[in-house]
Amino acid sequence: MKKIFATLVILTFLVSSCWKNKSPEDLPRLKEAFKKQVETFEKDKVSTNENVTKSLESLSGLKAALEDSKNEDKEFAKVYGNWEKVDKKVKDLNKEYEDLKSRAEGLFTAMEEQTNSLSDAKSKADLSKAIQSARTKYNATLANTAKAIGKLRVLHTDAVDIVKALEVAVALNSFDNINAQLESIEGRVDGIMQELNVAVEESKKLYDQRIDELN
């Protein structure tokens, strides 16, 4: 009798576990988690943009201060400090991007599993096609986002190189080549941020149930 009871308990546990794993509640939960991750990524993107803008302003201010021979050491310390913050923000943004990619994959997988459980063949086929199309396009967006974050890393490296070049320019009293480099960095920021904006917009379409817009 005890063995029968124990067996029934185990079976009940297995059934309840399977039901929990297959529960439709998984999809709303994953969708909400993805939504929160998109919001976090967007906040980090805005914060990174603010830090880059501030650092570019300090870089321009450094050049002007050096040309006027004012507070050189203080200006260098401030600019290096600002770009260190940018470096940290880019790393944070990349981490949030990796989490975004992971949660998106979980959401697509949940949608596929729920679609595969449908009994109507046509509905299953139509939804599977829509999900695959959306997944392909969103993965392309994620790939572009990774490239944009990579561009931010390069931007940071180039900016620090300019600061180093300015230190040499101070000794030589020559700033002729710095202007073009500074303008190049400033001109790249808007494009990079726009690429990151696309990631946010496409992500919002995904959790707002506008899969048709991703097709």
Side-chain angles (χ1 to χ4, degrees):
M1 185 67 179
K2 288 183 179 179
K3 288 184 178 180
I4 294 174
F5 178 74
T7 302
L8 287 173
V9 169
I10 293 171
L11 286 173
T12 302
F13 174 76
L14 289 173
V15 170
S16 63
S17 297
C18 291
W19 173 251
K20 183 178 180 182
N21 290 335
K22 297 295 183 181
S23 170
E25 291 301 317
D26 273 354
L27 189 53
R29 177 176 58 79
L30 289 169
K31 186 177 176 182
E32 183 61 26
F34 177 72
K35 178 180 179 180
K36 288 180 179 178
Q37 186 58 38
V38 173
E39 292 170 352
T40 301
F41 179 81
E42 184 173 21
K43 288 178 183 177
D44 266 19
K45 181 213 56 141
V46 171
S47 179
T48 301
N49 189 24
E50 290 172 350
N51 273 263
V52 169
T53 300
K54 180 180 178 181
S55 297
L56 286 173
E57 290 172 353
S58 69
L59 190 55
S60 298
L62 171 62
K63 180 179 175 296
L66 293 177
E67 288 175 333
D68 294 337
S69 299
K70 295 178 181 178
N71 301 319
E72 293 176 4
D73 293 339
K74 180 180 178 181
E75 290 297 327
F76 271 117
K78 182 172 73 174
V79 172
Y80 275 123
N82 283 338
W83 283 102
E84 282 179 10
K85 291 177 183 177
V86 170
D87 185 42
K88 182 179 183 303
K89 283 295 179 182
V90 173
K91 289 176 180 176
D92 289 345
L93 187 66
N94 187 64
K95 178 185 178 300
E96 298 304 336
Y97 159 75
E98 292 294 340
D99 288 345
L100 181 69
K101 183 167 65 172
S102 176
R103 292 193 183 281
E105 181 61 26
L107 182 59
F108 276 118
T109 299
M111 286 192 288
E112 285 176 338
E113 289 177 351
Q114 192 153 317
T115 298
N116 289 335
S117 70
L118 297 176
S119 56
D120 183 77
K122 187 177 186 308
S123 294
K124 184 188 294 187
D126 290 345
L127 284 172
S128 294
K129 183 179 179 181
I131 291 169
Q132 184 56 44
S133 177
R135 190 177 206 158
T136 299
K137 183 174 180 181
Y138 190 69
N139 283 343
T141 297
L142 288 174
N144 289 334
T145 303
K147 291 177 183 177
I149 293 173
K151 290 176 184 177
L152 276 176
R153 290 197 188 97
V154 173
L155 184 79
H156 167 264
T157 300
D158 289 349
V160 173
D161 281 349
I162 285 181
V163 180
K164 292 177 181 177
L166 279 170
E167 288 185 292
V168 176
V170 170
L172 298 176
N173 195 28
S174 174
F175 300 93
D176 293 341
N177 296 325
I178 303 300
N179 284 332
Q181 295 175 35
L182 187 56
E183 289 173 3
S184 172
I185 287 182
E186 291 173 341
R188 282 145 56 188
V189 174
D190 286 345
I192 293 172
M193 290 303 159
Q194 184 54 42
E195 289 174 1
L196 294 175
N197 287 338
V198 170
V200 173
E201 291 166 5
E202 294 298 313
S203 297
K204 287 181 177 178
K205 288 179 186 177
L206 192 56
Y207 70 67
D208 280 341
Q209 295 181 324
R210 295 199 298 271
I211 289 181
D212 57 314
E213 294 183 30
L214 283 167
N215 291 339

